[in-house]
Amino acid sequence: MRAILLFLSICCVSIKAQISEYIYPYSNVPIISNYGTTGLLQVPTARMHEEGTISFSWSHLEPYLRGSIVANPFDWFEASYQYTDVNNYLYSTVKSFSGSQSYKDKGFDAKFRLIKETNLIPEIAVGFRDLGGTALFGGEFIVASKKLGNIDFSVGMGWGTITGNSVSNPLAELHDRFKDRNLNSGDEDSVGGEVNYGSFFAGEEVGVFAGIEYFVPRFNGLRIMFELDPTNYNAEAYKPVAQDSDFNFGIVYPVNKNLFLKLGYIRGNTLNFGFTYTNSIGGKNPIINKKPKLREIKNSERFKRGNELDRYNLYRSSLKFLNENRLYLQTAHLSEDESKLSVSVIQPTYHSHPIAIGQTSKILDQLAPDNIESFEITMANGNQPMYKVTFPRKDFNTYKEANLPYALLSTTKFEDISAAEVQMHEFKPRAIFPVINSKFSPSIRSQIGGPDGFYFGELMLAHHASVVFSRNLELTSNINLSILDNFGDLKLASDSVLPHVRTDIVQYLKESKGLHISNLQFNYFNKIGKNIYTKTSAGLFESMFGGVGGEILYKPVLSNYGIGIEAWSVKQRDYDQMFDFRDYSVVTGHMTLYFQEPRSRILFKLMGGRFLAKDSGLHLDLSRSFKSGLRIGAFIARTDISYAEFGEGSFDKGFYFSLPIDIFFSEYSKPHTGFGLRPITRDGAAFLIHSHRLWNVTDSATKSDLIFDWGDIYD
Amino acid sequence: MCIFLVCACTTIPIGYLDTLGTAYKSLRNYPGTEIDKDYYDGFQYSFIRAQFSGAPPVILVLSKVENNEFFWVGSDGSTLTTNQDGKIIKTEGINRDIEFISTGKKKYKLNLFNPDAFYQPYEFNLTESSYTNINYLDSEILVMLKEEEFYSKIIGWKNKNRYYYYEGRPIRTVQNIHPYLPSLRLDFYYK
């Protein structure tokens, strides 16, 4: 009886939970607080977005305007970047430097979920606000959130600037280290930007906060928020802000599942408006649903009969129909006993290789005589065969009917393949070189947040081209024509004591009006041995450097790791970004270790060597990739220069995300667009940017990636 | 009663290739195209053009009629069932499906799927009929318009559906079938 009651109560909870999604729509999507992390108005909560979510928020609360980008590489970790306009303080007191522009502050926040909510236990998270930098809004908090019915309660404790409703710091009783909050790092040459670990959770007092989020039933997801504000308005930023009440309240209205509008009344004296746009884009086809469009072969049986008579008919018909589906056949071979058909294919369309493998197999299955028992498909990139996949044809079709892609894995073999093996294939269609790809597109380059003004930008017409001269040699180019810009008002000159390898950005922006070349690069690719790939390049690699050099990568096929070495002799380009060079030249190079953890899909990239400003050190990059092709990552670099030599920011750091463009379209395509954020552009730890890094060219040949995407084979 | 074959994709113009189950996730403000006489003549069987607001249109073919219920099937196997008034009483394969359970004459309970909410009360009122002109198969015709206001009390969902009748049969409806879906327009083409 008890078991039945338990079962019924579980069912009731489950059904109620489902109905609640209609009564309180979008209540499972947390919004971004005015400080740029998930929370209420001013108060943080322990809530997190789904992993693979990217959010943007903007809020106006005098004297601050704040824009934030928030990324969730995991559902337990949130990283955010804030850009704040502090409009009660000037950028600088020197009018000739920044005019009457208000102060701009950039900051990083991080939040970690410690405990996930259960029926009895609240969700608990710890957060770090305005890490490093000037720490104008710096603080830490620990917060618990529990949902009861349609009310989400949060209570917490804050340090740093979150100490408005102060009580004694309980941690100070545990250890002396927590008694004194020293906001300086202690380094004599500190220029801000370093993370001051010693101050975490320290200080004589802490603030206590609480808040509720009430989801109004049957009101299109409207929420009412009420909170006890812990902010110490005398401690944050540069000037105290008047506070007439410790309580804030506001409403949030979801326009749809992505866009939330917020109106609040803060400090008992100030109206607050803002919005949050949030989108979970890590899953398969997160925005536009799409399916690969495979042209059906009419009269397939007739083809099969013809192909049975002459194997060259089979090769030629495979070439025709694969090419029509943008699967470019490079070689084909029928085994002596005619039981196995091998093909090698290049495909420029799908991030997910199993889609291309599945499409190739479906076409071959319609053309191959019935006596062919297995397909061996080699995926190649340029002239470099990456790996081959072999499976029985019968299993492919059996599991296709049942739509059981992972069952096919039991009889699928993944293997290395050498260029020589592919060259032994019987059928090698002649490629006609050169192959020219060319396209025009609008392009924008921006400079945000300098002392000369908030935004400087340029609209350009960009021409991207690649000319493939042979299977090994290609030329890539990116040539831009300026159409409209406001760079004329940029004045900021570099104050760097290092060679100005990046900080002359203003001159590059201002003097490259009209036609300028961002990239003009020859690449020669080769696979010189088992698992060893090379690239030799010469040209104008990026807007600031050109020269010659190369890269060599050892990556065992289908493995999750690689080791790369690159060396470049480069010269700084002239500011007009045409063919002239400046005097500065450098030999730069790195050894890079790559490791992709298969379960979390985190790529660890550790780069050590000599950077463009002739400083030496390490650059660590951690990023996570998602099913959609989204990648979210962060990096940090330390070299043998002091904080003072590096300048503002102390060392290089930042985070980025890279979006596959095809998530916005109904057609598949491979290009990505990126968005990188670093607090400030400095010269230290800067490395050369060059197209077609070998890891990026070969990382599709990673078994864990293939298995991760294997569910797509029957798409 | 009558069994019809679902037409193969290859006979359908490109604009109609998307399937109902996924069409609503496609780009908003898709221009769509109306069914013209040539397209209609090319079809052997009765069909409907279904279009979620702003999404590409989809063709579903009548597969059978049973107890005054019409079963329409899309190329991906998704189905719509309409009653003789043109009201959608069941969907399958749309990701967010619905099903009306008849509890008496003109009385229904509503099952919603994804998220699941079963046996929801559903009250509706039909307004007075009016007449209006609509474009249908390249010409303008005078049709009878009925509006239906509905309310599902527990989840607080209310909205309005429109039904256009010509010669006693539904030829167009604009219905809200699920709280999380945009409105769905159906154009009926009989053979």
Side-chain angles (χ1 to χ4, degrees):
Chain A
M1 185 63 186
R2 205 180 286 173
I4 293 169
L5 283 174
L6 181 65
F7 174 75
L8 287 175
S9 65
I10 289 168
C11 288
C12 285
V13 169
S14 162
I15 289 166
K16 263 183 113 174
Q18 301 268 333
I19 292 176
S20 74
E21 291 182 45
Y22 292 99
I23 301 174
Y24 316 106
Y26 321 123
S27 61
N28 57 342
V29 182
I31 64 148
I32 309 291
S33 77
N34 291 325
Y35 282 96
T37 48
T38 45
L40 303 174
L41 296 157
Q42 299 284 79
V43 161
T45 64
R47 300 301 175 197
M48 292 274 184
H49 287 113
E50 277 179 41
E51 62 181 21
T53 298
I54 302 287
S55 310
F56 300 90
S57 85
W58 178 86
S59 85
H60 185 186
L61 172 64
E62 282 297 326
Y64 310 121
L65 268 172
R66 184 176 281 121
S68 307
I69 296 175
V70 185
N72 279 79
F74 299 92
D75 64 0
W76 50 263
F77 173 52
E78 172 186 288
S80 61
Y81 176 85
Q82 267 71 250
Y83 195 89
T84 307
D85 176 18
V86 182
N87 63 31
N88 62 354
Y89 198 76
L90 284 178
Y91 201 105
S92 86
T93 51
V94 182
K95 272 229 159 187
S96 58
F97 176 62
S98 58
S100 56
Q101 195 192 168
S102 54
Y103 186 78
K104 305 291 186 295
D105 186 65
K106 300 168 190 172
F108 282 107
D109 289 14
K111 190 167 92 173
F112 300 86
R113 188 182 65 209
L114 304 176
I115 296 173
K116 198 171 183 178
E117 184 179 19
T118 65
N119 282 343
L120 299 174
I121 298 172
E123 190 143 304
I124 297 176
V126 62
F128 301 86
R129 194 182 273 178
D130 204 358
L131 280 165
T134 52
L136 288 186
F137 302 93
E140 304 81 51
F141 59 85
I142 182 159
V143 58
S145 297
K146 183 81 190 84
K147 205 168 187 181
L148 296 170
N150 56 331
I151 302 178
D152 199 10
F153 297 88
S154 293
V155 292
M157 190 180 280
W159 288 260
T161 60
I162 316 174
T163 51
N165 314 301
S166 49
V167 296
S168 300
N169 183 359
L171 297 177
E173 302 294 321
L174 301 175
H175 197 281
D176 285 349
R177 168 228 177 285
F178 295 109
K179 282 184 179 161
D180 184 27
R181 187 176 181 89
N182 179 10
L183 287 174
N184 296 316
S185 65
D187 275 337
E188 282 178 8
D189 67 353
S190 169
V191 285
E194 66 272 38
V195 178
N196 188 2
Y197 304 102
S199 72
F200 284 171
F201 306 103
E204 285 179 21
E205 293 174 330
V206 295
V208 176
F209 59 87
I212 61 169
E213 195 170 17
Y214 171 69
F215 298 93
V216 183
R218 302 175 195 86
F219 223 100
N220 297 327
L222 183 78
R223 308 171 187 190
I224 297 172
M225 297 184 295
F226 185 74
E227 64 184 23
L228 171 64
D229 187 349
T231 312
N232 183 348
Y233 291 102
N234 293 319
E236 70 172 16
Y238 287 111
K239 283 187 173 175
V241 177
Q243 182 183 22
D244 296 335
S245 168
D246 285 343
F247 294 98
N248 306 322
F249 58 89
I251 56 170
V252 168
Y253 183 79
V255 176
N256 53 40
K257 67 175 179 176
N258 303 117
L259 181 62
F260 297 76
L261 305 180
K262 177 173 66 182
L263 184 65
Y265 193 63
I266 312 294
R267 303 189 296 256
N269 56 21
T270 309
L271 268 180
N272 160 222
F273 173 73
F275 70 83
T276 296
Y277 177 83
T278 183
N279 210 335
S280 176
I281 51 177
K284 187 174 181 178
N285 299 334
I287 296 177
I288 306 293
N289 231 331
K290 52 185 163 285
K291 285 236 165 220
K293 287 172 183 161
L294 191 68
R295 288 192 196 172
E296 198 180 336
I297 300 171
K298 288 178 187 171
N299 306 318
S300 150
E301 288 304 318
R302 201 181 295 169
F303 273 108
K304 281 184 186 178
R305 283 197 296 275
N307 292 341
E308 197 170 3
L309 300 173
D310 182 351
R311 58 172 60 197
Y312 277 88
N313 281 350
L314 173 61
Y315 300 149
R316 281 191 286 267
S317 57
S318 300
L319 175 70
K320 175 184 178 332
F321 288 105
L322 286 169
N323 279 10
E324 280 180 5
N325 288 282
R326 291 170 59 79
L327 299 157
Y328 299 112
L329 185 79
Q330 303 299 297
T331 61
H333 185 81
L334 190 59
S335 63
E336 217 162 283
D337 62 358
E338 300 194 343
S339 66
K340 183 168 81 177
L341 176 60
S342 305
V343 295
S344 66
V345 168
I346 291 174
Q347 64 90 15
T349 312
Y350 307 105
H351 302 290
S352 165
H353 272 217
I355 295 181
I357 294 167
Q359 300 292 88
T360 304
S361 306
K362 285 176 194 171
I363 291 170
L364 296 181
D365 186 51
Q366 293 177 77
L367 298 170
D370 292 338
N371 58 313
I372 292 178
E373 292 169 5
S374 63
F375 295 139
E376 179 188 275
I377 297 166
T378 297
M379 300 308 293
N381 198 346
N383 74 323
Q384 303 178 29
M386 300 287 165
Y387 61 90
K388 64 180 178 186
V389 180
T390 314
F391 41 71
R393 180 183 187 178
K394 190 178 153 201
D395 289 355
F396 178 80
N397 287 321
T398 304
Y399 297 127
K400 185 174 82 173
E401 291 303 315
N403 196 20
L404 294 170
Y406 285 97
L408 180 63
L409 275 178
S410 59
T411 49
T412 299
K413 274 199 298 188
F414 298 93
E415 291 169 283
D416 183 12
I417 185 164
S418 66
E421 188 180 339
V422 171
Q423 283 310 309
M424 285 167 64
H425 281 186
E426 188 172 36
F427 179 68
K428 292 189 279 287
R430 191 168 61 88
I432 300 166
F433 294 109
V435 178
I436 300 171
N437 296 302
S438 165
K439 69 170 181 183
F440 286 94
S441 64
S443 178
I444 288 175
R445 57 178 177 171
S446 305
Q447 169 86 346
I448 301 174
D452 301 321
F454 174 67
Y455 180 80
F456 291 91
E458 182 181 36
L459 177 66
M460 303 180 295
L461 180 65
H463 177 256
H464 301 267
S466 73
V467 183
V468 183
F469 296 103
S470 71
R471 290 186 191 276
N472 299 68
L473 182 65
E474 67 158 13
L475 170 69
T476 61
S477 72
N478 177 13
I479 299 170
N480 299 287
L481 178 66
S482 303
I483 297 172
L484 189 68
D485 73 81
N486 63 348
F487 291 150
D489 295 333
L490 277 170
K491 295 192 290 279
L492 182 65
S494 170
D495 63 350
S496 177
V497 297
L498 298 172
H500 295 184
V501 295
R502 294 292 180 220
T503 52
D504 280 346
I505 177 73
V506 167
Q507 282 94 322
Y508 278 99
L509 291 173
K510 287 178 79 167
E511 295 186 27
S512 61
K513 288 184 177 177
L515 199 68
H516 58 275
I517 302 166
S518 297
N519 173 263
L520 186 66
Q521 176 181 345
F522 284 94
N523 296 313
Y524 183 83
F525 296 97
N526 210 352
K527 189 173 181 182
I528 58 173
K530 196 176 177 187
N531 305 322
I532 300 175
Y533 305 86
T534 62
K535 182 183 89 170
T536 311
S537 300
L540 307 173
F541 298 126
E542 48 149 292
S543 55
M544 297 186 191
F545 283 90
V548 295
E551 192 185 356
I552 182 164
L553 176 74
Y554 171 74
K555 182 182 185 297
V557 169
L558 304 170
S559 69
N560 296 325
Y561 68 93
I563 301 167
I565 295 174
E566 57 187 293
W568 308 93
S569 174
V570 290
K571 207 162 182 196
Q572 191 167 25
R573 294 180 63 193
D574 208 352
Y575 298 142
D576 65 0
Q577 292 180 48
M578 293 302 284
F579 294 101
D580 294 331
F581 289 89
R582 295 174 60 76
D583 291 336
Y584 182 74
S585 60
V586 60
V587 174
T588 178
H590 301 93
M591 175 183 272
T592 308
L593 306 176
Y594 303 89
F595 174 69
Q596 174 148 309
E597 203 288 310
R599 269 185 289 184
S600 62
R601 296 177 61 74
I602 293 177
L603 174 66
F604 297 81
K605 195 166 86 176
L606 181 65
M607 183 192 270
R610 191 184 199 217
F611 292 85
L612 284 173
K614 299 180 181 172
D615 49 333
S616 298
L618 295 171
H619 175 106
L620 175 66
D621 184 308
L622 300 180
S623 62
R624 187 178 193 213
S625 61
F626 293 85
K627 181 74 194 106
S628 63
L630 169 72
R631 181 174 288 278
I632 301 175
F635 60 87
I636 184 170
R638 289 301 303 271
T639 61
D640 57 358
I641 53 173
S642 65
Y643 288 161
E645 285 173 304
F646 185 89
E648 187 182 343
S650 299
F651 57 90
D652 197 28
K653 57 196 170 290
F655 85 92
Y656 61 92
F657 51 89
S658 159
L659 287 172
I661 289 173
D662 70 356
I663 64 172
F664 303 105
F665 297 95
S666 55
E667 299 285 334
Y668 285 94
S669 64
K670 273 186 172 174
H672 278 66
T673 183
F675 198 89
L677 293 161
R678 45 160 52 98
I680 192 159
T681 301
R682 302 300 298 178
D683 296 312
F687 56 83
L688 185 73
I689 300 163
H690 54 97
S691 65
H692 296 321
R693 282 184 173 273
L694 285 175
W695 175 265
N696 298 340
V697 171
T698 58
D699 73 339
S700 54
T702 302
K703 193 171 179 181
S704 60
D705 277 357
L706 289 169
I707 290 174
F708 181 75
D709 288 328
W710 196 251
D712 302 337
I713 194 165
Y714 294 131
D715 275 10
Chain B
M1 206 183 96
C2 43
I3 305 293
F4 299 100
L5 289 174
V6 180
C7 60
C9 280
T10 45
T11 65
I12 300 176
I14 291 296
Y16 296 102
L17 276 175
D18 287 288
T19 53
L20 190 62
T22 56
Y24 73 94
K25 283 189 80 178
S26 297
L27 273 177
R28 291 289 174 259
N29 303 318
Y30 185 91
T33 42
E34 299 294 329
I35 300 291
D36 58 20
K37 193 78 173 58
D38 290 343
Y39 186 77
Y40 172 79
D41 290 341
F43 257 84
Q44 202 175 347
Y45 311 111
S46 296
F47 63 96
I48 52 175
R49 172 193 182 278
Q51 184 175 25
F52 283 106
S53 178
V58 178
I59 298 296
L60 294 95
V61 178
L62 185 64
S63 69
K64 65 176 178 177
V65 181
E66 223 171 62
N67 301 324
N68 287 327
E69 290 181 353
F70 296 71
F71 298 86
W72 310 90
V73 185
S75 58
D76 63 342
S78 56
T79 64
L80 291 182
T81 308
T82 57
N83 66 15
Q84 59 191 354
D85 298 326
K87 185 174 181 65
I88 299 167
I89 54 172
K90 188 175 179 181
T91 68
E92 279 182 278
I94 307 186
N95 188 18
R96 297 188 188 276
D97 285 307
I98 60 121
E99 181 182 26
F100 282 98
I101 312 289
S102 177
T103 56
K105 196 179 177 189
K106 298 267 179 185
K107 285 185 177 173
Y108 294 105
K109 293 283 185 187
L110 174 61
N111 286 344
L112 294 164
F113 300 89
N114 186 25
D116 296 348
F118 300 137
Y119 226 60
Q120 296 300 306
Y122 187 88
E123 296 165 15
F124 64 96
N125 278 316
L126 278 174
T127 61
E128 289 290 309
S129 308
S130 60
Y131 287 88
T132 186
N133 287 314
I134 64 167
N135 280 314
Y136 184 78
L137 287 180
D138 303 333
S139 53
E140 198 166 87
I141 56 171
L142 184 67
V143 295
M144 186 171 71
L145 166 65
K146 285 186 178 181
E147 289 192 330
E148 175 194 71
E149 288 178 348
F150 65 85
Y151 181 48
S152 185
K153 194 176 174 183
I154 293 175
I155 61 172
W157 180 43
K158 57 182 166 187
N159 216 317
K160 204 180 268 188
N161 295 329
R162 294 197 304 277
Y163 301 87
Y164 301 84
Y165 297 95
Y166 183 67
E167 294 178 346
R169 292 197 298 191
I171 63 162
R172 177 174 297 168
T173 69
V174 181
Q175 302 182 53
N176 293 279
I177 59 170
H178 193 289
Y180 282 116
L181 291 177
S183 62
L184 175 62
R185 176 180 141 184
L186 301 183
D187 291 313
F188 296 75
Y189 298 92
Y190 301 101
K191 291 277 184 175

